[in-house]
Amino acid sequence: EQYRKALDLLATLPSARTLQKVAADSNRPKSLLASLFPNHEGPIATAIRILARIEQELSFLPIRVFKSFNFRRPNPNVREKASTQATLALSLLEEASEKGHLEALYTLGMSSLFPPPGASLNATKAYHAFEQHAGLTGNATSQSIVAFIHSTGLQGSVPVDQAKALLWYTFAALGGDQHAEMALGYRYFLGIGVSEDCLRALEWYENAAEKSMAYFQSGPPGGRTLPPTPLKLTDLAGGVFGYGASAASSGIMANRPVIKAAQALKTGERWEEVIEYWRFHADRGDMEAAYRLGKIYYHGGMYNVQGGISAGVEGVATVPKDFTQSRMYFLKVARQVWPRDNPAKPSLSKIEDVEQPDRYFATLSAHFLGRMHLRGEGVRQDVKVAKMWFERAAKEGDKESLNALGIIFRDGLLDGKSKDDDAVVQFGRAAAQDLAEAILNLGKLYYRKGNLVLAKQYFENAIRHGSQFEAFYYAATIHAHTARSNP
């Protein structure tokens, strides 16, 4: 009973983002006026959103001024309420753990090490919970966390003891914990508590890498969405020695998205305001603005990583993903060229008399619409509809759509029959435009045929063009094969 109540409390805690902003629903007023403008477009709808932004910034204004719009005001008690709720949840977890509830014991450890909003890190409580749970169940994750705490002495909870850390990491890795496998690979590579042994390090790294690849491939066609790139806190300050004085923010490095974003933050710019800017122009028929909004909502970020759509976004300037909004804006742009759909004849309704800039953004939007239908993102998965959008964009020379058609042919997504010859043609056309994923896919075809020399060249080329994950995995696999062949 206590465990169930604790889970209910934890589930209803506000998110960290909510606590930071202490405000919600800034762009979607829930009122009679909102029902009159369901698409939130046009000058009046824009004015409503701007009033919402003003209301959030000018908290001294009387509530009655905005009452008719039903905009939610910042609630200063949100954080206090979250803290009380989190404390009660942790107390209930302790009670359940003392009564022998193993799931409550594990959750207590996790909640102490990775505290919910409103709570603080308690490494000592986490250590005792995980040590007890590992002893009772042999759980590999608990063993790995105990090892981590022994290796770091987190918050002084235990003395640093690398021998105990090695022992617990070994138990956890043998139990299949990926983090423990990574830690052992690192220890054998550098000789931390053990003799240096590159081949043993290789084995543990391979085990961890195979788990990551299996998880990636278990997703929709093309693989799971990669997480945003890691964000270094020093980059937000322009590097160790400050902006312009550090290698991180001088020369060509000054053009990195994280550096640009950091400078924008210093001037008071906020990502919500950037989105509002693009929305203002999209509501007035600007196709570039509409496309940019669709892209931002699709990726959940302002800055794309080099390497194409599949490479994901930078860890700086992230926003919540919204496939519904994304699809709405992409359709708005694509319909300028293709007002009606016919999967059997993709180009039947094409409008030729469209200005070149609008045609360009319509082509890019067509690919995103195809990608969403191929992967089932915000819509029902439908390969035929996806292929229709890809063929439309591919006829305009879009490299992402050429690559996507190659994936459909290679994996036999339409009729269950793989067509490698057709796939090679599409991948080749996309690779000729330096698309990292297409270069990677050509390498994978050669890898599957056993031509490792040529495959390796493609994988390394894909890495140079920005491939973020798969190319590294396959290139490393070939290098590992070479290492074992020539110890």
Side-chain angles (χ1 to χ4, degrees):
E1 180 68 20
Q2 288 95 336
Y3 179 60
R4 183 186 60 77
K5 288 181 179 179
L7 290 183
D8 290 341
L9 284 170
L10 291 173
T12 56
L13 279 171
S15 67
R17 183 184 291 270
T18 300
L19 289 182
Q20 290 171 359
K21 299 173 78 173
V22 202
D25 297 335
S26 61
N27 286 331
R28 294 188 183 182
K30 300 171 183 175
S31 65
L32 176 61
L33 285 175
S35 65
L36 297 177
F37 305 97
N39 294 324
H40 307 296
E41 299 183 10
I44 298 179
T46 300
I48 293 173
R49 292 197 302 272
I50 292 174
L51 284 172
R53 299 289 300 151
I54 294 173
E55 189 272 340
Q56 289 177 12
E57 297 298 328
L58 305 180
S59 58
F60 58 83
L61 291 177
I63 294 178
R64 65 176 178 275
V65 173
F66 299 96
K67 193 172 181 180
S68 62
F69 298 110
N70 195 25
F71 294 138
R72 291 168 59 180
R73 297 290 302 274
N75 183 357
N77 297 320
V78 170
R79 188 174 294 276
E80 294 179 14
K81 183 179 178 181
S83 179
T84 302
Q85 198 171 329
T87 301
L88 178 58
L90 291 173
S91 176
L92 290 170
L93 287 174
E94 286 191 69
E95 289 181 29
S97 300
E98 291 170 358
K99 294 180 179 180
H101 198 295
L102 294 178
E103 290 185 18
L105 183 62
Y106 179 84
T107 306
L108 175 63
M110 281 293 183
S111 299
S112 300
L113 189 61
F114 306 104
S120 301
L121 170 67
N122 189 328
T124 301
K125 185 180 292 185
Y127 173 78
H128 291 302
F130 283 121
E131 185 186 43
Q132 185 180 353
H133 188 263
L136 292 171
T137 66
N139 181 275
T141 302
S142 294
Q143 292 170 340
S144 179
I145 294 175
V146 170
F148 167 73
I149 295 177
H150 275 298
S151 70
T152 60
L154 185 64
Q155 281 192 335
S157 53
V158 295
V160 174
D161 191 327
Q162 300 300 342
K164 286 185 178 180
L166 178 65
L167 179 65
W168 282 103
Y169 272 136
T170 303
F171 287 149
L174 292 173
D177 183 81
Q178 188 179 23
H179 296 93
E181 291 169 343
M182 287 285 290
L184 282 181
Y186 185 75
R187 284 168 176 267
Y188 277 106
F189 179 65
L190 292 179
I192 302 175
V194 294
S195 300
E196 288 185 21
D197 190 331
C198 287
L199 288 180
R200 289 197 69 179
L202 177 61
E203 291 177 7
W204 289 117
Y205 277 134
E206 277 185 311
N207 290 343
E210 287 167 5
K211 286 183 174 64
S212 292
M213 179 54 73
Y215 178 74
F216 176 80
Q217 293 178 333
S218 68
R224 290 184 178 273
T225 301
L226 295 177
T229 58
L231 176 62
K232 294 181 180 178
L233 296 180
T234 53
D235 283 342
L236 294 178
V240 176
F241 301 106
Y243 182 76
S246 307
S249 60
S250 58
I252 192 172
M253 301 295 281
N255 293 321
R256 291 187 302 146
V258 64
I259 300 300
K260 291 181 179 179
Q263 293 302 107
L265 287 172
K266 287 181 180 178
T267 64
E269 184 176 291
R270 293 193 299 179
W271 313 130
E272 294 88 346
E273 294 168 353
V274 176
I275 291 176
E276 187 60 48
Y277 170 83
W278 290 119
R279 185 179 290 175
F280 178 87
H281 289 283
D283 291 350
R284 284 151 184 77
D286 188 324
M287 293 300 104
E288 179 183 359
Y291 167 73
R292 286 181 178 273
L293 277 174
K295 196 174 176 183
I296 289 170
Y297 282 124
Y298 178 86
H299 284 298
M302 299 283 182
Y303 298 101
N304 291 90
V305 175
Q306 177 196 6
I309 294 174
S310 64
V313 293
E314 296 279 357
V316 66
T318 57
V319 298
K321 287 186 177 184
D322 191 332
F323 288 133
T324 301
Q325 289 275 356
S326 176
R327 182 170 180 270
M328 179 190 75
Y329 283 113
F330 285 138
L331 271 175
K332 180 177 182 176
V333 180
R335 290 301 185 209
Q336 303 298 310
V337 177
W338 298 282
R340 291 180 299 279
D341 295 337
N342 187 336
K345 298 179 180 180
S347 300
L348 185 63
S349 63
K350 182 180 178 182
I351 298 175
E352 298 291 347
D353 187 20
V354 178
E355 293 184 4
Q356 182 56 37
D358 288 350
R359 181 185 297 277
Y360 172 72
F361 290 113
T363 299
L364 298 179
S365 297
H367 169 75
F368 274 101
L369 290 168
R371 183 178 176 87
M372 295 174 81
H373 280 284
L374 180 67
R375 298 167 60 85
E377 295 170 329
V379 294
R380 181 177 61 86
Q381 189 174 28
D382 191 325
V383 179
K384 289 184 179 179
V385 174
K387 185 170 180 285
M388 174 193 71
W389 284 111
F390 290 145
E391 287 179 340
R392 287 171 168 176
K395 283 190 176 181
E396 302 293 324
D398 180 63
K399 58 186 178 181
E400 293 278 5
S401 295
L402 290 167
N403 179 69
L405 287 173
I407 292 174
I408 291 175
F409 290 133
R410 181 196 64 194
D411 297 344
L413 298 179
L414 272 175
D415 54 11
K417 298 178 182 178
S418 179
K419 300 180 180 68
D420 282 356
D421 291 342
D422 292 336
V424 168
V425 172
Q426 303 298 336
F427 289 147
R429 292 177 63 192
Q433 299 182 54
D434 294 333
L435 180 63
E437 188 181 5
I439 300 170
L440 162 72
N441 284 327
L442 285 173
K444 287 165 70 174
L445 288 173
Y446 287 111
Y447 180 86
R448 194 168 64 186
K449 294 177 180 178
N451 190 339
L452 300 186
V453 174
L454 193 54
K456 178 172 171 286
Q457 294 176 7
Y458 276 104
F459 294 143
E460 291 176 347
N461 194 20
I463 291 171
R464 284 193 292 272
H465 283 87
S467 181
Q468 298 293 309
F469 177 66
E470 282 190 279
F472 284 99
Y473 171 82
Y474 285 107
T477 300
I478 294 173
H479 284 296
H481 178 267
T482 303
R484 288 198 174 89
S485 301
N486 304 287

